[in-house]
Amino acid sequence: GENVGLHLPTLSVQEGDNSIINCAYSNSASDYFIWYKQESGKGPQFIIDIRSNMDKRQGQRVTVLLNKTVKHLSLQIAATQPGDSAVYFCAEMANNQGGKLIFGQGTELSVKP
Amino acid sequence: SAVISQKPSRDICQRGTSLTIQCQVDSQVTMMFWYRQQPGQSLTLIATANQGSEATYESGFVIDKFPISRPNLTFSTLTVSNMSPEDSSIYLCSVEPPSYNEQFFGPGTRLTVL
């Protein structure tokens, strides 16, 4: 089946630094991508999304970049804070898949004060 | 957005028994999904439970093991039947409300099977 995978399972950064979390996807039919944040004991929380007709989308302190040529997705967090410590998942959806999300492996982000 | 609650939040069960997990949404939604998250792993879709139709199961998941009910637009249940320790996971429901592109997730039900 199709997979969405992550290059780095863990990432440790200093408070105030920028974080970059990467994700590779393999389904060329996917046209919608989402980043979720999951804190311990909670369900995933939507962070930001991007459609395949865009290369970049910015939110508050977060930016998602999409490179369709190499099927790569990244999440950039500016000025990382201790509250950003969590597991981050990318997820993909194809337009003809009825809302089904395929999740990537997950990256655990640890922010050191 | 949508506010989703799940019951129970966690449970410890004996092998061979069954557990029914409830998912309640604060608004009417057509599309509802059930996911499994095994320890330290990502989320895997079990089934799509749209109101008015039979649940659609993903490869590797069958109705006999994970029967689902969807009696109305705000509620669904997932049963984990004849449990074994391999069923120990977090089970999450999610919804995609009308006019939203994103899915909202419940807090999850943490199941431990002894």
Side-chain angles (χ1 to χ4, degrees):
Chain A
E2 302 286 357
N3 292 309
V4 176
L6 290 171
H7 297 305
L8 300 173
T10 61
L11 178 64
S12 182
V13 300
Q14 287 291 141
E15 180 178 0
D17 287 351
N18 297 334
S19 303
I20 300 176
I21 301 171
N22 296 300
C23 177
Y25 67 96
S26 57
N27 185 359
S28 57
S30 293
D31 57 3
Y32 180 54
F33 304 88
I34 313 102
W35 280 101
Y36 283 94
K37 172 185 180 183
Q38 186 176 29
E39 297 174 287
S40 181
K42 298 182 179 179
Q45 178 186 5
F46 174 94
I47 301 174
I48 192 168
D49 61 356
I50 188 168
R51 293 204 173 271
S52 58
N53 60 350
M54 301 174 68
D55 299 323
K56 179 180 179 179
R57 189 154 189 244
Q58 288 185 293
Q60 188 176 15
R61 285 201 304 118
V62 294
T63 301
V64 55
L65 299 177
L66 175 62
N67 186 330
K68 295 180 287 295
T69 302
V70 295
K71 297 188 180 67
H72 185 267
L73 193 67
S74 70
L75 176 70
Q76 300 178 2
I77 304 174
T80 313
Q81 303 169 359
D84 294 326
S85 294
V87 178
Y88 290 80
F89 294 97
C90 65
E92 61 171 328
M93 185 191 302
N95 189 42
N96 62 351
Q97 292 297 306
K100 288 166 45 177
L101 288 173
I102 299 174
F103 278 80
Q105 177 185 359
T107 293
E108 181 172 5
L109 176 65
S110 175
V111 182
K112 296 179 288 185
Chain B
S1 64
V3 177
I4 305 165
S5 61
Q6 288 185 231
K7 289 182 182 178
S9 58
R10 59 177 63 232
D11 206 343
I12 300 173
C13 302
Q14 294 297 321
R15 180 195 300 261
T17 63
S18 297
L19 176 72
T20 295
I21 301 167
Q22 300 178 5
C23 178
Q24 181 75 52
V25 191
D26 68 342
S27 58
Q28 294 186 336
V29 294
T30 300
M31 302 181 76
M32 185 175 282
F33 306 89
W34 285 98
Y35 289 83
R36 181 176 73 183
Q37 187 175 23
Q38 293 176 301
Q41 297 192 26
S42 186
L43 284 78
T44 301
L45 181 64
I46 298 172
T48 301
N50 292 338
Q51 202 274 337
S53 62
E54 294 291 319
T56 303
Y57 289 82
E58 297 301 304
S59 176
F61 298 96
V62 295
I63 188 172
D64 290 346
K65 176 67 175 177
F66 297 101
I68 288 170
S69 77
R70 186 75 203 276
N72 57 52
L73 291 172
T74 63
F75 187 79
S76 178
T77 67
L78 170 76
T79 299
V80 186
S81 303
N82 188 25
M83 289 183 286
S84 66
E86 291 71 32
D87 294 320
S88 298
S89 291
I90 300 172
Y91 292 86
L92 301 114
C93 66
S94 74
V95 302
E96 185 172 317
S99 303
Y100 281 85
N101 291 323
E102 62 182 272
Q103 287 186 21
F104 299 90
F105 282 82
T109 295
R110 185 178 295 272
L111 170 62
T112 301
V113 184
L114 304 177

